[in-house]
Amino acid sequence: MALWLAVTTQAETYERLLDPLAERGIEVTPLQPSERTFDLSDPALPEVDVGFVYPSRLMEGGVVDAALSIPWVNGREAILRSRNKAAVLARLSQAGVPVPETTMVSNPLDDEAVAAAAERFDPPVVVKPNSTTRGTGVAKVSDLDSLLGVTDYLDLVQDYRATGDRSYLLQEYLPDARDYRVMVLDGEYVGAVERRLPTDARERGQWKHNVHRGAEAKGVDLDPELRELAERAADVLEIDYLGVDLLVTEDRAVVNETNARPTIDSATKYEDGFWDDLTALLRDTAAE
């Protein structure tokens, strides 16, 4: 029996889902939840059985959810849980999962308090908005004046009354750490990539290993202990389809962030059976 799946994620994920899922009896249809208009009495959305994944814009997601009344692989609560970087790190730390040393700052806060919070870190310190993605707004600073300059900009942005999140993180910088995006599906490791900046980018002073910022993602055969670490993170957060970002140095491995709306990479970066496992999760979710 064919199952109809609504996909709200970016173009590359949608394209990569089409053929493998069609071969397994799941018809994929795109669902655009943003940058459009909705007739609220008749939103004209496709008839589907299950969604993948809940829209990133929660206001539009509420309209879509009301119109479709379908279960989601990674529903609204999963998206909210993963988006809050500070809460993710707090949950993981409380469960004994290693994370970077991090302080959350809730604005407004005066310069003296920010400076005092930064003193616990050896410079440089990473300044990170709490709920952005793709490395947006993340900065690395080596002195107090630079830190306060960055936080001044955050104060300006977060002072707007409609801004829902008025927090940011101060986080230890782990030089020379290897950066992995690990995919966990229904509690099991299904593949990983190492994200690395090209040599010329590093020579220009770039340091963020986000693909959006020019890093290259190469499929890797991850060590068992790192696989287990990513699976532990997904278990603590109770998210079925999760990208887990690991930073690995010579003597530590930590969970840096998670993403409940990760891009599906090319098939060569996944373990055998990935598409069968995803199909099973989609059918189980649709049956809920």
Side-chain angles (χ1 to χ4, degrees):
M1 177 180 176
L3 191 76
W4 287 88
L5 174 69
V7 174
T8 67
T9 56
Q10 54 268 55
E12 58 265 46
T13 288
Y14 170 75
E15 295 294 336
R16 289 166 181 160
L17 286 169
L18 282 173
D19 291 340
L21 291 186
E23 293 168 2
R24 292 162 175 81
I26 296 181
E27 299 295 332
V28 179
T29 185
L31 195 160
Q32 181 183 349
S34 58
E35 299 179 6
R36 56 167 295 178
T37 61
F38 287 98
D39 179 346
L40 297 184
S41 61
D42 182 14
L45 296 175
E47 293 188 11
V48 291
D49 303 299
V50 62
F52 181 91
V53 294
Y54 196 88
S56 60
R57 295 188 183 181
L58 300 181
M59 299 301 104
E60 289 89 332
V63 173
V64 169
D65 214 17
L68 294 180
S69 296
I70 57 171
W72 295 85
V73 169
N74 290 11
R76 183 178 186 274
E77 292 306 313
I79 300 302
L80 286 172
R81 194 175 308 131
S82 177
R83 182 179 296 175
N84 187 336
K85 301 180 193 299
V88 164
L89 296 179
R91 285 173 182 266
L92 295 179
S93 182
Q94 290 297 312
V97 177
V99 299
E101 292 294 326
T102 308
T103 295
M104 178 182 180
V105 179
S106 177
N107 264 335
L109 198 66
D110 61 48
D111 288 353
E112 289 185 4
V114 173
E119 286 179 356
R120 68 175 290 204
F121 302 99
D122 293 328
V125 62
V126 176
V127 188
K128 181 183 295 185
N130 189 36
S131 53
T132 60
T133 60
R134 298 184 172 184
T136 304
V138 178
K140 181 179 67 174
V141 296
S142 299
D143 57 82
L144 182 58
D145 283 341
S146 297
L147 170 62
L148 296 179
V150 172
T151 58
D152 281 346
Y153 281 111
L154 288 171
D155 289 345
L156 290 173
V157 173
Q158 295 178 352
D159 188 54
Y160 182 54
R161 291 184 179 276
T163 301
D165 180 10
R166 299 189 181 189
S167 62
Y168 59 89
L169 309 182
L170 302 179
Q171 193 170 74
E172 67 172 318
Y173 176 62
L174 299 178
D176 302 320
R178 299 189 302 280
D179 184 299
Y180 297 105
R181 162 61 60 87
V182 188
M183 300 297 295
V184 181
L185 180 66
D186 202 14
E188 300 291 334
Y189 167 87
V190 291
V193 296
E194 181 176 2
R195 300 181 294 195
R196 182 178 296 180
L197 285 166
T199 301
D200 60 338
R202 295 197 301 272
E203 290 175 348
R204 292 195 301 268
Q206 288 184 246
W207 60 279
K208 302 178 193 177
H209 292 278
N210 302 84
V211 173
H212 179 67
R213 299 292 187 180
E216 299 168 346
K218 180 181 179 181
V220 294
D221 185 16
L222 204 64
D223 292 340
E225 61 270 21
L226 298 180
R227 298 183 183 201
E228 181 182 358
L229 178 57
E231 290 174 346
R232 286 174 60 199
D235 180 62
V236 170
L237 298 175
E238 299 181 304
I239 298 177
D240 289 330
Y241 170 64
L242 189 66
V244 181
D245 294 348
L246 303 182
L247 295 178
V248 182
T249 67
E250 291 299 322
D251 57 359
R252 309 169 58 190
V254 297
V255 177
N256 188 44
E257 293 185 14
T258 64
N259 187 343
R261 303 185 89 252
T263 299
I264 287 185
D265 286 302
S266 59
T268 57
K269 298 175 183 177
Y270 294 101
E271 299 286 286
D272 293 340
F274 168 76
W275 292 110
D276 291 333
D277 292 341
L278 179 58
T279 297
L281 177 60
L282 290 168
R283 289 194 177 278
D284 289 346
T285 302
E288 292 178 357

